[in-house]
Each structure stands twice: as C-alpha cells, then as structure tokens.
C-alpha cells in the first residue's frame, strides 16, 4: 500500500465525496462545520480516519471500476470497525464523542453508497440511534450545534432507506422501525431553526430536505406492499388524510420557477433557482408516489404479493412525474440530489409506456455516473428485473 495513498484518498474525500452526502440546498454552514470537524478529529480518532479512507476508496472504485481501490476500501473499513470497538471499551463516554458518532455515520454510508458492507448497515444505524437517543432525545432535548442536526437527520434517512429497502425484497430483517424514536426525532427537528430566513425548512435541513413526516408516510405505505399479507385497514385509514393533504399541495407544485427556465440569469441566481426547483420536485415525487400507493391499496387487488403495479400513462400522477423527469434531463443538481434516488426508482414501477420507462432508466443511469453510488445501481438493477418480468423476458 503506497504511503501517498491516504493523502490521495483524503483529498478525494474532500473534493469529490463529501459534497454528495449533504444537500446543496441547505445552509453552507453545515458543510463547512462538519468537514472542519472531520479534519480536526481524524488525527485523534483512528476509526474516523479509516472510515474516511474507506468511503473515499469505495467511491473511487465505483467511479473508475478500480479493483485495487475496492480492496483498499474494505481493508480500511475493517480497520475502522476495529478501532471503533477499541474506542467503545475506553474510559471516555462515547455518547458525548463527536468523533465516534461521525465514524458510525460514515460506516453506514459506506454500506449504503459502496460495495461489500451493505449487510452491516443495521448494526451501525442501531448504534447511531442509541447515541442520538441518549444524547438528544432523552438528554438535552435540543439541537444546539450544526453537526447535531446532521446526525439526527442522517439517522432518520438511513432508517427510511432500511425500512423501505428494495421493492422486490422484504425490508432488512435485522432492523425494526421504531415509531417512538422517529416521533421524538421529528419533534426535536421541528423545534430546531439554526438558520432563520425566508426558507428555513430548506436551509435548516442538510440531509432530509423534506418534512420527516413525508418520509414516514412513504414508509408506512411501503410497508403494506410485498409483505404477503392484505393491507392493514388501520394503517390505510391512518395515512389517508395525509395523502389527501399532499394531493392538494401537488396542485400548487406543477410549473417550474420562472428563474429556472431563464438561461440568462446571473450564475448565482441560476444556481439557487436550480437548487430550489430540485428540492421542490423531489418533494413532488414523494407525494405523487404516496398518492399512487394509496390508490392501489384502495383497489381490490392484492398488493401484498409484490411491488407496485403499473399504472396508465394517463394517470395524473404519472403524467406529472414524467414532466418532472423531463424537466431535469440536463440538470446536474438533480442527478446529484440523493433524496431523489428512491422516488425516481419507485416511480419506475408505475410506468408502462416504453418512453416513460426510458426516462426513468436514463435518470438512474445519470445518477450512477454522477454520484458513483452503489445504492442507485441496486435500485436500477431491481427495477430492470421487474420490467423484464413484465415484458416476459428471461432473466
């Protein structure tokens, strides 16, 4: 292993990887504060040091198909987990250690975005939940610092991803959705406004970018599919009013912002308009999916047997989703917006027209190319398998 490799990987982490794990629509302070914290703590926390190198090497492998990089990534990942175990047996209180929490976050991101450690995600998320619960939910009861908000939102997002999983598979058996934890975390986030302003919800959300309730709604609807059972009437009735509220909101979220389509805008204004449009359209896709899922649950079919069924291209939700995907065919910010990965993947199951499926396929491929994310590759492969089955192709 080259002596220069850690320096090369650290530089890649700062310049290429780090921007992919926080939302650009949030306040720049989140980015600068967490990155500074990582740099300051790496020298004293071996687990954090090795987790940074592991994530960076994994990302290089996915971008360049570099076999040595993947080997280095797994070696560094192993070193990080060993260092973490040693730290947990030390005299210091791990719950107050930002370096430890940062390490755990990067380890589950390695499993989510990289290759080879996906099955470890529940272990790391459960560890992060214990720290967040003790430190914030049952401890101070408030969020005072920028990284605190990042950590809470990041844990919720990983809970959502694990609870939804792939549409053709059951959710992670090693993880159980904790409704009480989610409710407490949602409450503490609602009371936290670190950056007051005109668009506080967007500015103050470095990972979720959307109301946590919308992620929870998506999970509750997802939980009624693929479980081999008929839908739970209590759950369906519980979410109905929420879905109807979002359907009303969707009527106001249709056309692009004027500044988004003005090509002669000043660079900064154009960037801000693009980020705002990306954020709004991602929210739209989640709400459209919730509407479609509830509609299928209300019908007389049995959604418990598999992923969502295809819908008519004329369905208003499908038509609106198609407009969104067409709008962002050349939007770089859209392809790097990680909260859009799941809804773009999921909306594909409702598509029947070949041109609409091609829109989704192209969107997911551009995300793979732009982000170097194994998560997107898993989503795309899962969706292609279902499309092939529906066409009657051999797998």
């Amino acid at each position: 292993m080259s002596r220069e490799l850690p320096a090369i990987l650290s530089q890649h982490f700062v310049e290429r990887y780090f921007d992919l794990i926080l939302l650009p629509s949030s306040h720049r302070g989140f980015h600068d504060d967490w990155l500074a914290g990582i740099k300051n703590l790496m020298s004293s926390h071996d687990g954090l040091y090795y987790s940074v190198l592991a994530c960076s090497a994994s990302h290089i492998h996915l971008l360049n198909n570099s076999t040595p990089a993947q080997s280095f990534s797994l070696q560094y990942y192993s070193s990080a987990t060993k260092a973490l175990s040693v730290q947990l047996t030390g005299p210091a209180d791990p719950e107050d250690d930002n370096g430890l929490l940062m390490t755990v976050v990067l380890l589950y991101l390695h499993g989510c975005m990289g290759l080879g450690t996906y099955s470890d995600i529940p272990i790391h998320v459960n560890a992060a939940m214990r720290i967040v619960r003790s430190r914030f939910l049952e401890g101070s009861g408030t969020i005072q610092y920028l990284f605190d908000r990042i950590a809470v939102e990041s844990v919720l997002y990983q809970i959502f991803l694990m609870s939804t999983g792939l549409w053709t598979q059951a959710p992670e058996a090693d993880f159980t959705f904790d409704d009480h934890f989610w409710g407490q975390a949602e409450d503490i986030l609602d009371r936290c406004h670190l950056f007051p302003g005109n668009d506080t919800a967007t500015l103050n959300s470095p990972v979720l970018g959307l109301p946590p309730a919308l992620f929870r709604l998506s999970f509750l609807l997802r939980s009624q599919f693929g479980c081999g059972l008929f839908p739970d009437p209590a759950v369906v009735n519980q979410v109905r009013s929420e879905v109807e509220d979002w359907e009303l909101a969707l009527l106001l979220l249709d056309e692009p912002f004027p500044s988004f389509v003005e090509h002669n805008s000043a660079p900064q204004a154009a960037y801000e308009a693009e980020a705002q449009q990306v954020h709004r359209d991602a929210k739209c896709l989640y709400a459209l999916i919730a509407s479609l899922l509830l509609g299928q649950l209300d019908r007389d079919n049995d959604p418990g047997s598999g992923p969502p069924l295809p819908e008519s291209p004329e369905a208003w939700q499908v038509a609106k989703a198609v407009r969104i995907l067409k709008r962002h065919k050349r939007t770089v910010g859209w392809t790097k917006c990680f909260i859009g990965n799941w809804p773009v993947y999921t909306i594909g199951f409702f598509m029947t027209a070949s041109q609409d499926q091609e829109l989704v396929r192209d969107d997911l491929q551009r995300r793979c190319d732009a982000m170097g994310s194994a998560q997107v590759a898993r989503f795309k492969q899962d969706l292609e398998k279902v499309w092939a089955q529906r066409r009657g192709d051999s797998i």
Side-chain angles (χ1 to χ4, degrees), residues 126-315:
N126 281 319
M129 286 176 63
R130 287 194 297 271
I131 297 173
V132 167
R133 181 183 289 111
S134 175
R135 187 167 167 180
F136 306 117
L137 308 186
E138 297 173 354
S140 66
T142 60
I143 291 176
Q144 297 179 326
Y145 303 104
L146 298 180
F147 175 68
D148 297 347
R149 172 119 198 176
I150 292 171
V152 174
E153 288 200 12
S154 178
V155 170
L156 287 187
Y157 187 59
Q158 285 301 313
I159 290 173
F160 168 76
L161 292 177
M162 281 195 300
S163 300
T164 51
L166 295 176
W167 276 102
T168 61
Q169 299 176 8
E172 287 296 321
D174 295 333
F175 183 82
T176 303
F177 182 83
D178 187 334
D179 190 65
H180 181 65
F181 176 92
W182 187 283
Q184 285 185 301
E186 190 172 332
D187 179 65
I188 201 173
L189 290 173
D190 285 343
R191 292 185 280 108
C192 169
H193 300 287
L194 298 171
F195 295 106
N198 294 330
D199 192 6
T200 57
T202 304
L203 280 175
N204 283 282
S205 188
V207 179
L208 293 176
L210 310 175
L214 185 53
F215 287 99
R216 183 177 181 276
L217 175 64
S218 300
F219 156 70
L220 287 174
L221 287 163
R222 162 67 178 98
S223 68
Q224 301 303 298
F225 288 75
C227 58
L229 303 173
F230 283 98
D232 184 342
V235 173
V236 175
N237 291 330
Q238 175 187 348
V239 302
R240 187 177 305 282
S241 62
E242 289 186 66
V243 173
E244 291 172 352
D245 288 343
W246 279 108
E247 287 175 338
L248 289 175
L250 284 170
L251 297 176
L252 305 175
L253 297 173
D254 191 13
E255 297 305 320
F257 292 113
S259 54
F260 182 72
V261 296
E262 292 174 1
H263 300 293
N264 296 324
S265 302
Q268 183 60 29
Y271 173 81
E272 292 175 357
E274 177 182 300
Q276 195 174 13
Q277 186 71 55
V278 165
H279 176 268
R280 190 173 74 165
D281 284 345
K283 183 191 296 184
C284 268
L285 283 186
Y286 278 91
L288 290 168
I289 289 167
S291 177
L292 287 165
L293 292 176
L294 180 62
Q296 294 199 2
L297 291 173
D298 281 337
R299 295 175 196 161
D300 293 331
N301 51 41
D302 177 16
S305 61
L309 300 173
E311 295 279 349
S312 166
E314 283 73 41

Side-chain angles (χ1 to χ4, degrees), residues 2 26 37 113 121 167 197 232 257 263 267 299 341 345 386 389 392:
S2 169
S26 64
M113 298 175 65
I121 295 177
W167 276 102
D232 184 342
F257 292 113
H263 300 293
R299 295 175 196 161
N341 295 345
Y345 153 67
V386 172
Q389 290 171 343

Side-chain angles (χ1 to χ4, degrees), residues 56-116:
S56 183
S58 177
H59 189 236
I60 290 174
H61 165 69
L62 289 164
L63 288 176
N64 304 327
N65 195 26
S66 168
T67 302
Q70 174 64 3
S71 177
F72 292 141
S73 173
L74 295 178
Q75 291 178 47
Y76 286 130
Y77 176 87
S78 177
S79 296
T81 57
K82 290 176 182 176
L84 185 62
S85 298
V86 171
Q87 187 176 357
L88 289 172
T89 60
D93 187 353
E95 293 167 356
D96 296 325
D97 189 336
N98 269 354
L100 185 144
L101 184 52
M102 290 179 186
T103 301
V104 175
V105 169
L106 290 180
L107 288 176
Y108 65 59
L109 286 177
H110 185 279
C112 176
M113 298 175 65
L115 293 171

